[in-house]
Amino acid sequence: MIMYSSKKLKAPEHQVAGHSAKEGRLGPLVDGEGRFFKPFQRDFRGKNEDTFYEFFSSNKNAPNHIHGYFPSYQGTQVVEASNGSGKLPHIVLEDVVTGYLKPSIMDIKIGSRTWYPNISQEYFKKCMGKDRGTTSVSLGFRISGFKIFDHEESSYWMPDKKVVHGYNVDEARLALRKFVSSNSLADSIPDCAFASEIYGGPNGILAQLLELKAWFETQTLYHLYSSSVLMFYENESVLMKGGDDARARVKLIDFAHSFDGSGVIDHNFLGGLCSFIKLIQDILESSDNNNETNIFQFKNGH
Amino acid sequence: MIMYSSKKLKAPEHQVAGHSAKEGRLGPLVDGEGRFFKPFQRDFRGKNEDTFYEFFSSNKNAPNHIHGYFPSYQGTQVVEASNGSGKLPHIVLEDVVTGYLKPSIMDIKIGSRTWYPNISQEYFKKCMGKDRGTTSVSLGFRISGFKIFDHEESSYWMPDKKVVHGYNVDEARLALRKFVSSNSLADSIPDCAFASEIYGGPNGILAQLLELKAWFETQTLYHLYSSSVLMFYENESVLMKGGDDARARVKLIDFAHSFDGSGVIDHNFLGGLCSFIKLIQDILESSDNNNETNIFQFKNGH
């Protein structure tokens, strides 16, 4: 077991969903050198997630390019918990946004349902309430949280989680447009100026999502409930270098509710992923006609 | 409105799921000349299904090859109901198995959930109970009923619907194997002798399902709840002519719970369809190695 110094650990700057370590609560920590420490969740969930990472990271049945969509796993480590409750076991993962200066980030929980067979009636009701109360049922996914760098204000816009969880289909679609827009986030008509460079292209978000989709069409290793697609890109690059190195990336995270696929594909995840892909494709198609104009205007300060 | 004589109407010989007109109950009728009369279901459902067929049949946004996967619509007609309750409106459709002498038929209800937004708590509970009590939740689809022509016995095997609805994942997979097997249906190890000619090939079931899948990945016209894939083929051909003209076909049926897609793909149907496709692919792959041997044995009476 590798020992890390726990002295430098702090709450992640770019976390957009899930439990936060800020204000003395229990949440994940980062060491600023590329490692992300996720405290074991109570009951079976922490152990289940750790087991998922342990088995997946050495699973040769998942192709190499698919492994790249998951944070790399570096074992477990007992470190001082963020809430001052003493030393607790943490899962040590790659901090996927290390090296990003001004990332825009969005966490999208995939699947129309977050419950699964053989759960308590109480947990079923809780999940079902959230699934029906968000866009999970209607869209097949829900946005859990995001932060977008506002190029006009040179600051971040990060709406309250409760606002985000209350989004309907149109609001979720709007957020996906704002995520790749250059104009003021208060503006109701996003210009989608970065759509083609962030969502599009051979290495863009869409290409990565399609690669994941192809895998989910056949993989029966895992069923992932309440897992998320995390997508992010570097605004500093878009600002300074014309987007040549925006490093738009997709990572899958959160596996506390992952299970053996038992020979069946994860149709719940796949269906939601396809719906998410369709909305990204819609934005790319609608921005195709005016995208170059928008970039030109943006880069010239209009 | 075209008027059909209602004198010759009778219960369909090859119905495998849904309400049956036999024994004096209300159910669909056929005229033996290619027309299928489906009585309007009570409450909004009959009207909803008729509206679906009326709009879809003239919808130019659905490509021609996709229209071929739906029974053609021939309007509505008031005819004598099968249960003797007098004249009732019926939806007049193409009788898709007309011309098949010894069809094997399976009805597969697609989607992990049969409920949808804005329904009563009572209907939600009823649907959820069935979805959790069958393979809908686990597999993303459930087999609603089937009949398989048994080549050894020269008769049909059609298990009771209650037995079929009680299938677990393994039993559903087994039924899909038996559907394309030549050996006795009482045998626990189906030979899948017809898999490559019925499921496989450029015009087989799998190719048709993949064409539908491609459409469902982008179509936002309709969301189909409780709709079924009906698949069937001609055993007479397999028996007599070596399977050159087995006419393996996929049709989508049952649209009493179809709704406008509102710009979102039908991720519930698509996810279930992909899961069904994967099971068909599994059977084709596992039968690849021994299929020719099986056909040879079968044709030589072993």
Side-chain angles (χ1 to χ4, degrees):
Chain A
M1 182 183 283
I2 306 160
M3 297 297 289
Y4 305 107
S5 162
S6 62
K7 287 177 185 169
K8 294 180 290 182
L9 300 186
K10 57 178 196 212
E13 190 183 343
H14 301 303
Q15 189 182 350
V16 296
H19 304 287
S20 165
K22 288 174 181 167
E23 297 167 14
R25 288 170 301 199
L26 184 63
L29 298 163
V30 293
D31 67 358
E33 294 169 3
R35 282 179 288 265
F36 184 93
F37 294 74
K38 183 170 184 177
F40 269 55
Q41 287 183 274
R42 61 180 169 77
D43 54 58
F44 73 96
R45 292 180 294 171
K47 185 63 200 157
N48 198 50
E49 180 157 32
D50 185 54
T51 303
F52 171 84
Y53 273 114
E54 189 181 347
F55 280 83
F56 179 75
S57 62
S58 59
N59 192 331
K60 298 275 190 290
N61 290 319
N64 274 339
H65 73 278
I66 293 299
H67 276 281
Y69 288 109
F70 292 75
S72 68
Y73 172 68
Q74 300 168 30
T76 60
Q77 174 80 12
V78 174
V79 300
E80 200 72 38
S82 62
N83 62 351
S85 64
K87 286 179 179 288
L88 282 180
H90 287 63
I91 303 171
V92 187
L93 300 167
E94 168 195 9
D95 182 9
V96 296
V97 292
T98 297
Y100 285 73
L101 296 173
K102 291 188 177 69
S104 285
I105 308 181
M106 189 177 284
D107 180 307
I108 305 106
K109 198 184 283 272
I110 305 291
S112 69
R113 67 181 161 92
T114 54
W115 60 272
Y116 39 90
N118 305 320
I119 50 168
S120 69
Q121 186 64 11
E122 186 189 8
Y123 187 70
F124 169 77
K125 278 189 177 176
K126 185 182 163 188
C127 290
M128 183 57 75
K130 285 187 186 175
D131 295 347
R132 294 183 79 175
T134 64
T135 61
S136 291
V137 166
S138 51
L139 263 179
F141 65 86
R142 64 182 182 245
I143 300 177
S144 289
F146 62 86
K147 57 191 284 186
I148 303 179
F149 186 74
D150 185 327
H151 287 262
E152 290 191 355
E153 305 287 339
S154 276
S155 65
Y156 274 108
W157 174 54
M158 183 169 165
D160 188 80
K161 279 178 206 171
K162 284 184 185 167
V163 174
V164 176
H165 294 171
Y167 279 177
N168 61 23
V169 171
D170 288 339
E171 289 163 332
R173 195 187 289 273
L174 185 63
L176 291 173
R177 294 176 65 86
K178 289 195 172 191
F179 190 70
V180 290
S181 290
S182 72
N183 54 343
S184 170
L185 297 168
D187 195 322
S188 61
I189 305 174
D191 60 15
C192 295
F194 312 140
S196 70
E197 52 194 305
I198 302 302
Y199 288 156
N203 302 310
I205 298 289
L206 178 61
Q208 296 174 55
L209 293 172
L210 290 173
E211 205 163 54
L212 277 171
K213 168 176 170 271
W215 185 58
F216 275 94
E217 283 174 350
T218 57
Q219 76 88 9
T220 60
L221 301 169
Y222 304 104
H223 285 192
L224 310 178
Y225 294 98
S226 287
S227 294
S228 289
V229 157
L230 192 73
M231 64 173 183
F232 47 94
Y233 68 93
E234 176 61 276
N235 285 281
E236 191 73 10
S237 163
V238 176
L239 276 168
M240 302 303 169
K241 299 181 221 161
D244 289 347
D245 194 23
R247 289 177 287 157
R249 290 280 186 281
V250 165
K251 295 277 180 179
L252 297 186
I253 58 167
D254 294 344
F255 306 105
H257 303 277
S258 64
F259 302 97
D260 189 290
S262 302
V264 175
I265 66 163
D266 190 350
H267 48 88
N268 177 60
F269 192 99
L270 176 60
L273 185 64
C274 289
S275 178
F276 181 59
I277 284 170
K278 180 60 166 57
L279 262 61
I280 300 292
Q281 286 171 328
D282 287 347
I283 294 171
L284 276 168
E285 280 174 23
S286 69
S287 69
D288 266 359
N289 295 333
N290 56 6
N291 188 47
E292 288 187 19
T293 317
N294 284 332
I295 286 182
F296 180 79
Q297 286 175 337
F298 169 67
K299 286 188 180 159
N300 286 275
H302 296 287
Chain B
M1 181 184 282
I2 307 160
M3 298 296 291
Y4 304 108
S5 161
S6 61
K7 287 177 186 168
K8 295 180 291 180
L9 300 186
K10 57 178 193 202
E13 189 184 343
H14 301 303
Q15 188 182 351
V16 297
H19 304 288
S20 165
K22 287 175 182 166
E23 295 166 15
R25 289 170 302 201
L26 183 62
L29 297 164
V30 292
D31 67 359
E33 294 169 4
R35 283 179 287 264
F36 185 92
F37 295 75
K38 184 170 182 177
F40 270 53
Q41 286 184 274
R42 62 181 168 77
D43 55 58
F44 73 96
R45 292 180 292 171
K47 184 65 200 155
N48 198 51
E49 180 157 31
D50 185 55
T51 303
F52 170 84
Y53 273 114
E54 189 181 346
F55 279 82
F56 179 75
S57 63
S58 60
N59 193 330
K60 298 274 190 290
N61 290 319
N64 273 340
H65 72 279
I66 293 300
H67 276 281
Y69 287 110
F70 292 75
S72 68
Y73 172 68
Q74 300 168 29
T76 60
Q77 174 80 11
V78 174
V79 299
E80 200 72 39
S82 62
N83 61 352
S85 64
K87 286 178 178 290
L88 282 179
H90 287 62
I91 304 171
V92 187
L93 300 167
E94 168 194 10
D95 181 8
V96 295
V97 292
T98 297
Y100 286 72
L101 296 173
K102 291 188 177 69
S104 286
I105 308 182
M106 188 177 286
D107 179 306
I108 304 106
K109 197 183 281 275
I110 305 290
S112 68
R113 67 181 160 90
T114 54
W115 59 272
Y116 40 89
N118 305 320
I119 49 167
S120 70
Q121 186 63 13
E122 185 189 8
Y123 187 69
F124 168 76
K125 279 190 176 174
K126 185 182 164 187
C127 289
M128 182 58 75
K130 285 187 187 175
D131 295 346
R132 294 183 80 175
T134 63
T135 60
S136 291
V137 166
S138 52
L139 263 180
F141 65 85
R142 63 181 183 246
I143 300 176
S144 290
F146 62 85
K147 57 191 282 186
I148 303 179
F149 186 74
D150 185 327
H151 288 261
E152 291 193 354
E153 305 287 337
S154 277
S155 64
Y156 275 107
W157 176 53
M158 183 170 167
D160 188 81
K161 280 179 206 170
K162 284 184 185 167
V163 174
V164 176
H165 295 171
Y167 279 176
N168 61 23
V169 171
D170 288 339
E171 289 162 333
R173 195 187 289 274
L174 185 63
L176 291 172
R177 293 176 66 87
K178 289 195 172 190
F179 191 69
V180 290
S181 289
S182 73
N183 54 342
S184 170
L185 297 167
D187 195 321
S188 61
I189 305 173
D191 60 15
C192 295
F194 312 140
S196 69
E197 51 194 306
I198 303 301
Y199 288 156
N203 302 310
I205 298 289
L206 177 61
Q208 295 174 56
L209 293 172
L210 290 173
E211 205 163 53
L212 278 172
K213 167 176 170 271
W215 185 59
F216 275 94
E217 283 174 350
T218 58
Q219 76 88 7
T220 61
L221 301 169
Y222 304 104
H223 285 193
L224 310 178
Y225 294 98
S226 287
S227 294
S228 287
V229 157
L230 192 73
M231 64 174 183
F232 48 95
Y233 67 93
E234 175 62 275
N235 284 281
E236 191 73 10
S237 162
V238 177
L239 276 167
M240 302 304 169
K241 297 182 223 161
D244 290 346
D245 193 25
R247 288 178 287 156
R249 290 281 187 281
V250 165
K251 295 277 180 178
L252 297 186
I253 57 167
D254 294 343
F255 306 104
H257 304 276
S258 64
F259 303 97
D260 189 291
S262 303
V264 176
I265 66 163
D266 191 350
H267 48 86
N268 177 59
F269 191 98
L270 176 59
L273 185 64
C274 288
S275 179
F276 181 59
I277 285 170
K278 180 60 165 59
L279 261 61
I280 300 292
Q281 286 171 329
D282 287 348
I283 293 169
L284 276 168
E285 280 172 24
S286 70
S287 69
D288 265 0
N289 296 333
N290 56 8
N291 190 48
E292 288 186 18
T293 316
N294 283 334
I295 286 182
F296 179 79
Q297 286 177 336
F298 170 65
K299 288 189 179 158
N300 286 276
H302 295 288

